[in-house]
Amino acid sequence: MVKQQQNRRIPVSGLVAGIAAVAVTAGGGAAWWHWQSNQKPTRPIAPPISGIQEAPKPQTPPVAQQQVEVFWLKGSGVRQQLIATTATTTADIKKQPTAALKTAFDNLLSGPKDGSVSTTIPQGTTLRELKVEKDGIHVNLSEDFTAGGGSTAMTGRVAQVIYTATSLDPNAKVWIEVEGEPLEVLGGEGLELEQPLTRQSLGENFTL
């Protein structure tokens, strides 16, 4: 009986060693879990920005082109008639009538490109100023406008100016100036101009 009881006893040294092994294993697992829990998740690093990209600017819509009329002469001798041609302008003819009419006069004073029409406005005539005001359209021309020509040529050039100036408003009044002074008499033959001038008064007082 004594012998059997001795065989069932577990040696103390073996028990202590087993407990120590379990403790070491448990401690190691806890340390590993603590280290893993403290690790931050790795995020991909964005590539460096080589330059700042600006947002695309809104495109400005193209300016609609509009047409203004320029008047030339056709015929010979004492019988001439006015012929209207068109010139392109980027100015709004309703909101910017002055700019639109300046385009028309730039074309008029440059001379006709079509050989079938002519002008009696002397070469070298320039537009000093053009203003659209409440009392009418003021056209200020250089002194070259008064040079040369008989009464027919004088009447023709005045008609060209009046009709071109009133191309946006046929009923408008026109004031013609030369070097800033009102034009009252034109040419050596003394073509008298009672201002303001209109298309109607031109037809009543002069014959092309």
Side-chain angles (χ1 to χ4, degrees):
M1 292 292 293
V2 175
K3 187 175 181 178
Q4 291 178 352
Q5 291 177 356
Q6 289 178 348
N7 291 338
R8 292 178 181 176
R9 293 177 181 175
I10 299 174
V12 175
S13 59
L15 181 60
V16 172
I19 293 173
V22 172
V24 170
T25 302
W32 178 86
W33 180 86
H34 180 72
W35 178 81
Q36 286 289 341
S37 63
N38 288 334
Q39 297 300 307
K40 295 181 180 180
T42 302
R43 295 181 181 179
I45 300 174
I49 300 176
S50 58
I52 299 175
Q53 296 181 351
E54 296 182 358
K57 296 181 180 179
Q59 294 184 350
T60 303
V63 179
Q65 293 184 337
Q66 301 184 57
Q67 302 293 323
V68 289
E69 288 186 325
V70 181
F71 285 83
W72 309 102
L73 297 170
K74 190 171 184 179
S76 59
V78 295
R79 299 301 300 176
Q80 299 184 87
Q81 66 180 116
L82 289 164
I83 302 296
T85 60
T86 57
T88 301
T89 178
T90 56
D92 189 317
I93 60 176
K94 292 183 179 180
K95 297 180 180 179
Q96 302 170 300
T98 298
L101 289 178
K102 282 183 178 179
T103 299
F105 270 87
D106 286 343
N107 281 264
L108 177 64
L109 300 180
S110 295
K113 297 179 176 61
D114 183 355
S116 64
V117 294
S118 63
T119 180
T120 58
I121 298 175
Q123 186 177 7
T125 301
T126 59
L127 181 67
R128 295 287 192 238
E129 189 177 20
L130 188 149
K131 296 183 292 184
V132 178
E133 298 186 345
K134 292 182 179 180
D135 64 342
I137 302 164
H138 294 253
V139 181
N140 184 14
L141 300 167
S142 66
E143 191 174 359
D144 304 270
F145 181 73
T146 63
S151 59
T152 301
M154 296 296 179
T155 302
R157 72 185 65 171
V158 170
Q160 286 182 263
V161 169
I162 292 173
Y163 271 75
T164 300
T166 58
S167 60
L168 302 182
D169 180 7
N171 296 317
K173 298 176 181 179
V174 181
W175 305 81
I176 300 178
E177 300 173 358
V178 172
E179 300 295 346
E181 297 295 331
L183 182 61
E184 297 176 349
V185 179
L186 180 61
E189 297 183 13
L191 186 67
E192 295 184 4
L193 302 176
E194 186 176 347
Q195 302 206 50
L197 299 161
T198 64
R199 291 187 179 188
Q200 183 178 353
S201 68
L202 178 71
E204 291 174 351
N205 299 306
F206 303 99
T207 301
L208 285 176

